[in-house]
């Protein structure tokens, strides 16, 4: 009976820790624990191992009371019960190996306290959550955990031998390891989406700044144009053609040449109707212009939609343009040529830039961590390759043609019959 009380208290504290309110004890908690202990006293001897299922139902209700989502309550409760079984198995094995009579309770209490402390340290220092934001994923996880739990309980109910306990512990360890790996991958995807969202916000901010800068420049040009007309008007009123010619050569001709050389070759961006792609292209190409890089963009017909994961395409284009900008910045002849070609069965994104140094083989550039710019810089092409490889509709061609580095990203159209 004392062992059951310790187990119930341990499960209660772990669930409260996962709910991040272990230090907030409510009247509901006190009533719940009291009912659990009372039912243990009444039904434990009568139900035997089936009593565990009764406790499981009660703790599912307890967790649901706090989260109010059944799939989340199932996930949390099954995780805690499976963890409790693992601790129980470890205690049993240690007790048998050390051959300590009646030492099970002491070992269980020590392991429970250590695991509880460790869990709270992890919860305090990380954003760990025992459930997913996707309810479908929670339901699938809960079903998987329920199957594992039922298998363990039914197998041990038949014959609780040392070999059975050891084999179940191994199975549990493997499954929990797989769950942790899956959860880690889920967190990586969440972080990646967060970084992309952050990048989009930065791009939108830069987009607004560029619009404001162009507007202010337009205002300055209008003001200068008015002053220019006034100055010409004065020469014409006095029929001073010789002075007007001298004024033109000295003041107006340089301004005309400067305007002709301005790098505003992004008019075709208005034909890009996919907002996220337009934001990436405008942000990166405008930034390249601000770095005194000559920029060209060409698109002859509207780009209305794409047939690939939009997020992956945004990241891929961002990497390609970042690499082109990094290779061109600081060079007087730096130039980036970019274009989109809409073909019958595909959409082609073309980006090329001048090469100002000897490049290693292309396979070397795609290695993780390698960069011609120094340490901890070479993640772009490696990440780009991973994005292309996980999208069947993407094809990436990378070439070095003399002094030009060319990348061609083809997005195949999905047939309606596919």
């Amino acid at each position: 009976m004392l062992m059951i009380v310790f187990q119930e208290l341990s499960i209660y504290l772990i669930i409260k820790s996962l709910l991040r309110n272990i230090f907030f004890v409510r009247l509901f908690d006190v009533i719940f624990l009291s009912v659990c202990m009372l039912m243990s006293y009444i039904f434990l001897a009568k139900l035997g191992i089936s009593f565990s299922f009764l406790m499981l139902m009660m703790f599912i209700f307890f967790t649901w009371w706090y989260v109010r989502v059944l799939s989340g309550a199932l996930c949390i409760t099954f995780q805690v019960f499976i963890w409790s079984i693992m601790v129980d198995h470890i205690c049993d094995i240690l007790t048998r190996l050390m051959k300590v009579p009646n030492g099970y309770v002491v070992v269980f209490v020590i392991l429970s306290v250590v695991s509880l402390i460790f869990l709270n340290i992890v919860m305090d220092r990380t954003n760990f959550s025992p459930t997913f934001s996707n309810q479908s994923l929670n339901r699938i996880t809960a079903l998987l955990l329920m199957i594992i739990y039922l298998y363990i309980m039914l197998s041990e109910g038949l014959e609780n031998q040392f070999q059975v306990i050891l084999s179940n512990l191994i199975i549990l360890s493997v499954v929990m390891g797989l769950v942790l790996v899956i959860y880690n991958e889920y967190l990586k995807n969440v972080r990646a989406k967060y970084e992309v969202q952050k990048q989009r916000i930065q791009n939108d901010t830069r987009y607004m700044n560029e619009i404001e800068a162009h507007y202010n420049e337009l205002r300055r040009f209008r003001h200068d144009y008015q002053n220019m007309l006034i100055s010409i008007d004065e020469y014409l009123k006095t029929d001073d053609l010789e002075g007007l010619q001298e004024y033109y050569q000295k003041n107006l001709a340089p301004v005309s040449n400067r305007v002709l050389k301005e790098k505003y070759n992004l008019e075709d961006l208005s034909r890009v109707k996919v907002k996220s792609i337009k934001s990436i292209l405008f942000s990166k190409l405008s930034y390249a212009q601000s770095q005194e890089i000559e920029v060209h963009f060409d698109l002859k017909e509207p780009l209305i939609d794409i047939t690939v994961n939009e997020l992956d395409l945004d990241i891929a284009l961002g990497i390609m343009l970042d690499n082109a900008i990094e290779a061109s910045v600081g060079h007087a002849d730096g130039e980036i040529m970019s274009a989109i070609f809409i073909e019958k069965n595909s959409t082609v994104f073309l980006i090329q830039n001048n090469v100002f140094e000897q490049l290693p083989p292309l396979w070397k550039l795609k290695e993780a961590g390698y960069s011609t710019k120094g340490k901890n810089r070479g993640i772009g092409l490696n990440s780009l390759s991973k994005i292309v490889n996980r999208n069947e509709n993407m094809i990436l061609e990378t070439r070095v043609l003399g002094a030009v580095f060319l990348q061609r990203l083809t997005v195949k159209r999905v047939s309606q019959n596919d």
Side-chain angles (χ1 to χ4, degrees):
M1 181 62 191
L2 180 62
M3 187 61 226
I4 295 299
V5 171
F6 283 141
Q7 287 180 336
E8 291 174 350
L9 186 59
S10 174
I11 292 172
Y12 163 79
L13 292 174
I14 293 176
I15 291 177
K16 291 282 285 185
S17 298
L18 292 175
L19 296 175
R20 296 184 182 272
N21 62 355
I22 187 173
F23 298 112
F24 297 94
V25 180
R26 300 180 179 178
L27 178 61
F28 173 74
D29 299 343
V30 176
I31 295 175
F32 175 80
L33 286 175
S34 301
V35 171
C36 284
M37 293 177 185
L38 178 61
M39 295 188 71
S40 299
Y41 178 78
I42 297 174
F43 296 107
L44 179 60
K46 297 179 180 179
L47 298 178
I49 193 171
S50 301
F51 180 75
S52 298
F53 295 104
L54 178 60
M55 284 295 100
L56 175 66
M57 295 298 105
M58 293 187 64
F59 275 101
I60 289 175
F61 171 76
F62 173 79
T63 309
W64 174 85
W65 182 269
Y66 280 100
V67 299
R68 297 291 171 155
V69 179
L70 182 58
S71 59
L74 290 171
C75 274
I76 294 173
T77 308
F78 277 120
Q79 288 177 58
V80 175
F81 266 69
I82 291 175
W83 175 255
S84 178
I85 294 174
M86 290 185 66
V87 173
D88 173 74
H89 285 8
I90 294 172
C91 291
D92 202 331
I93 291 173
L94 290 177
T95 304
R96 291 171 184 264
L97 292 176
M98 294 185 299
K99 298 179 179 179
V100 179
N102 302 321
Y104 178 87
V105 176
V106 176
V107 176
F108 180 85
V109 171
I110 293 174
L111 286 181
S112 298
V113 171
V114 171
S115 61
L116 186 63
I117 293 173
F118 175 77
L119 175 61
N120 279 276
I121 291 174
V122 172
M123 298 294 288
D124 288 339
R125 297 185 180 182
T126 66
N127 294 322
F128 173 80
S129 173
T131 58
F132 302 100
S133 57
N134 188 318
Q135 295 304 319
S136 297
L137 191 57
N138 281 334
R139 287 190 286 270
I140 295 172
T141 305
L143 179 61
L144 174 63
L145 294 173
M146 181 181 69
I147 293 172
I148 296 169
Y149 175 79
L150 291 176
Y151 162 76
I152 295 169
M153 296 304 297
L154 293 176
S155 63
E156 292 190 4
L158 295 175
E159 189 177 7
N160 191 11
Q161 297 180 350
F162 179 76
Q163 291 83 357
V164 176
I165 294 175
L166 182 60
S167 63
N168 285 343
L169 179 59
I170 294 173
I171 293 173
L172 279 174
S173 300
V174 172
V175 171
M176 292 302 291
L178 290 174
V179 170
L180 289 175
V181 170
I182 294 172
Y183 186 80
N184 185 57
E185 289 299 317
Y186 172 78
L187 286 181
K188 286 182 179 179
N189 291 334
V190 171
R191 291 192 191 100
K193 291 181 180 180
Y194 169 77
E195 290 298 328
V196 171
Q197 187 66 24
K198 180 180 177 182
Q199 182 67 34
R200 284 183 178 178
I201 294 174
Q202 292 175 346
N203 290 339
D204 290 342
T205 301
R206 186 182 295 171
Y207 178 83
M208 296 303 297
N209 292 336
E210 289 292 336
I211 291 178
E212 183 179 0
H214 291 323
Y215 174 73
N216 290 333
E217 186 163 350
L218 181 62
R219 290 182 59 190
R220 287 195 299 270
F221 178 80
R222 185 177 66 177
H223 183 265
D224 294 342
Y225 179 74
Q226 290 176 338
N227 291 335
M228 180 180 64
L229 291 179
I230 293 174
S231 62
I232 293 176
D233 182 65
E234 188 62 30
Y235 282 103
L236 293 176
K237 285 181 179 179
T238 57
D239 292 327
D240 187 3
L241 297 180
E242 183 176 348
L244 177 59
Q245 184 176 11
E246 181 181 356
Y247 176 77
Y248 174 82
Q249 294 296 335
K250 184 181 296 184
N251 298 288
L252 300 185
V255 174
S256 177
N257 292 332
R258 179 176 62 82
V259 170
L260 289 175
K261 292 181 180 179
E262 287 289 351
K263 305 177 182 65
Y264 294 103
N265 300 316
L266 304 181
E267 292 87 354
D268 286 357
L269 278 176
S270 62
R271 297 192 179 99
V272 180
K273 304 304 180 182
V274 183
K275 294 182 179 180
S276 64
I277 296 177
K278 176 185 282 189
S279 177
I280 289 289
L281 292 173
F282 183 87
S283 174
K284 300 297 183 182
L285 295 177
S286 295
Y287 175 73
Q289 286 184 336
S290 70
Q291 299 299 308
E292 302 299 327
I293 300 172
E294 186 172 350
V295 173
H296 301 274
F297 177 78
D298 185 57
L299 175 60
K300 298 305 182 185
E301 57 184 288
L303 176 64
I304 300 175
D305 58 7
I306 54 173
T307 56
V308 75
N309 184 284
E310 188 173 336
L311 182 62
D312 281 347
L313 182 57
D314 293 341
I315 297 174
L317 291 175
I319 292 173
M320 293 165 66
L321 288 168
D322 283 340
N323 290 338
I325 293 171
E326 186 175 350
S328 304
V329 70
H331 298 281
D333 297 329
E335 183 178 9
I336 296 176
M337 305 285 292
S338 57
I340 301 177
F341 301 101
I342 300 178
E343 301 176 350
K344 181 179 179 180
N345 298 317
S346 63
T347 301
V348 179
F349 298 84
L350 188 68
I351 297 175
Q352 72 175 45
N353 58 273
N354 296 343
V355 177
F356 297 95
E357 58 187 25
Q358 185 67 33
L359 293 179
L362 291 177
W363 63 266
K364 187 71 174 178
L365 289 173
K366 295 179 181 180
E367 287 185 352
Y370 181 84
S371 173
T372 60
K373 301 297 182 180
K375 296 181 178 180
N376 301 322
R377 300 285 293 280
I379 61 172
L381 289 181
N382 182 264
S383 298
L384 180 59
S385 297
K386 291 181 179 179
I387 292 172
V388 173
N389 291 337
R390 69 172 178 245
N391 286 276
E392 295 181 356
N393 292 349
M394 279 189 182
I395 300 174
L396 177 66
E397 302 173 70
T398 303
R399 300 179 182 178
V400 178
L401 305 175
V404 174
F405 186 84
L406 173 67
Q407 288 196 294
R408 176 188 175 101
L409 182 62
T410 302
V411 177
K412 295 185 293 182
R413 294 188 185 277
V414 178
S415 173
Q416 294 180 353
N417 296 325
D418 289 349

